[in-house]
Amino acid sequence: MITEKEVKKYFNSNKVGCIGPCFFGLGLCALIGGDSFPEHLFGIFMLIAGIAWAVFLTRNSLKITDSDVDLYTEEQLKKLQEKGLQKLSLDESELVANSFVITGPIFVFDKNDKNKIVTAGDIRKGNDHRFRFALLKVAVLYLLKEQLMIYQARLNLKDNLVDHESTEEYFYSDIVSLTTAPDDKYDGEVFTIMTSSGSGLKVPLSSSAFPRDKAVLNQAENTVLAIRKMLREAKAR
């Protein structure tokens, strides 16, 4: 199992990779375009700094892979499934199906345009071209015979921190809407549960700027199908 320090390095590596090229660029500009000795000296200094930075990155190169981070994420989500049972005072024997885990990025919107997504916290685009998010909204859904129990939390993979925890309980008879559908606000798919009282759950799954892989969307769809089955059975009783 990889460490928290390695996960932090994984998400931070995108932020430091451009420093070396910047040093080299400044150095070359000063050497080629400079007319004075101080400018040439500055250029030499920048080139040396660029070389030093390249050596530093080589010695501290990332030793973990995208798959390592995926496995680490899965382990953290399993821990949240167990924690959710404790928070809800549930025993696994009370469940009529395996619990479902829905995850989504913590989107950040432009200060001047609340409908424009500008970032999703710390992210990294892997070698497989998939986005991975250090900050996740997590919802664990537990299916009982007559009701749906939900544990929510925010998972910070970089700091191994779980906060913003909450629990909800909905009787199947109170659920009026259950979908994974496009949402204009996020310009992407959103998992939504709504009840007759207006309360519910909403987890953004993706956006056009930060698409998710099919496995995540399929998990949400499978969750919808499983809960709809329980809704039909509850109404038939």
Side-chain angles (χ1 to χ4, degrees):
M1 174 63 67
I2 61 176
T3 65
E4 178 186 322
K5 183 178 180 180
E6 289 174 314
V7 173
K8 188 170 293 188
K9 183 185 291 186
Y10 175 87
F11 284 105
N12 286 341
S13 61
N14 280 348
K15 301 178 182 180
V16 299
C18 64
I19 296 178
C22 288
F23 285 155
F24 278 113
L26 287 172
L28 288 174
C29 287
L31 284 174
I32 296 173
D35 297 323
S36 64
F37 174 75
E39 289 175 326
H40 289 161
L41 187 62
F42 174 78
I44 294 172
F45 175 79
M46 285 292 101
L47 288 176
I48 293 174
I51 294 171
W53 189 256
V55 172
F56 170 80
L57 288 183
T58 300
R59 291 182 176 179
N60 295 272
S61 60
L62 196 64
K63 295 180 176 64
I64 61 173
T65 65
D66 298 328
S67 297
D68 290 330
V69 174
D70 290 341
L71 288 174
Y72 179 86
T73 303
E74 288 178 15
E75 287 298 321
Q76 301 310 307
L77 293 176
K78 286 180 182 177
K79 291 178 182 179
L80 288 186
Q81 286 177 278
E82 296 172 1
K83 190 173 185 180
L85 288 171
Q86 297 173 2
K87 288 284 186 179
L88 289 161
S89 300
L90 286 174
D91 187 271
E92 283 194 56
S93 62
E94 299 178 71
L95 307 181
V96 297
N98 292 330
S99 57
F100 291 91
V101 180
I102 304 296
T103 66
I106 305 294
F107 287 124
V108 180
F109 296 93
D110 190 293
K111 293 181 180 179
N112 300 318
D113 184 353
K114 296 302 182 181
N115 293 317
K116 180 182 178 182
I117 298 174
V118 292
T119 184
D122 292 306
I123 64 173
R124 180 182 173 91
K125 192 172 186 179
N127 294 328
D128 55 4
H129 306 294
R130 288 170 49 203
F131 285 104
R132 288 166 177 82
F133 305 87
L135 202 59
L136 291 170
K137 178 175 182 177
V138 180
V140 186
L141 287 73
Y142 305 93
L143 278 64
L144 280 68
K145 186 176 180 181
E146 299 290 344
Q147 65 225 80
L148 174 68
M149 310 283 274
I150 301 174
Y151 165 71
Q152 293 187 69
R154 185 176 67 175
L155 173 61
N156 186 330
L157 292 170
K158 284 179 60 177
D159 299 322
N160 193 22
L161 177 67
V162 176
D163 58 10
H164 293 196
E165 296 175 284
S166 65
T167 58
E168 301 288 343
E169 176 182 349
Y170 304 122
F171 285 95
Y172 295 123
S173 57
D174 293 330
I175 297 175
V176 296
S177 177
L178 176 66
T179 62
T180 55
D183 188 296
D184 291 338
K185 180 178 180 180
Y186 300 103
D187 191 20
E189 295 287 315
V190 174
F191 176 86
T192 305
I193 296 176
M194 291 299 295
T195 68
S196 55
S197 65
S199 59
L201 169 71
K202 180 174 285 190
V203 181
L205 301 173
S206 65
S207 74
S208 58
F210 304 106
R212 306 287 295 281
D213 59 287
K214 289 184 178 180
V216 173
L217 301 180
N218 288 341
Q219 169 75 338
E221 286 290 348
N222 291 336
T223 303
V224 168
L225 293 175
I227 299 176
R228 282 178 178 168
K229 180 174 180 293
M230 296 302 299
L231 290 176
R232 289 194 298 269
E233 291 178 357
K235 290 179 179 179
R237 285 195 288 270

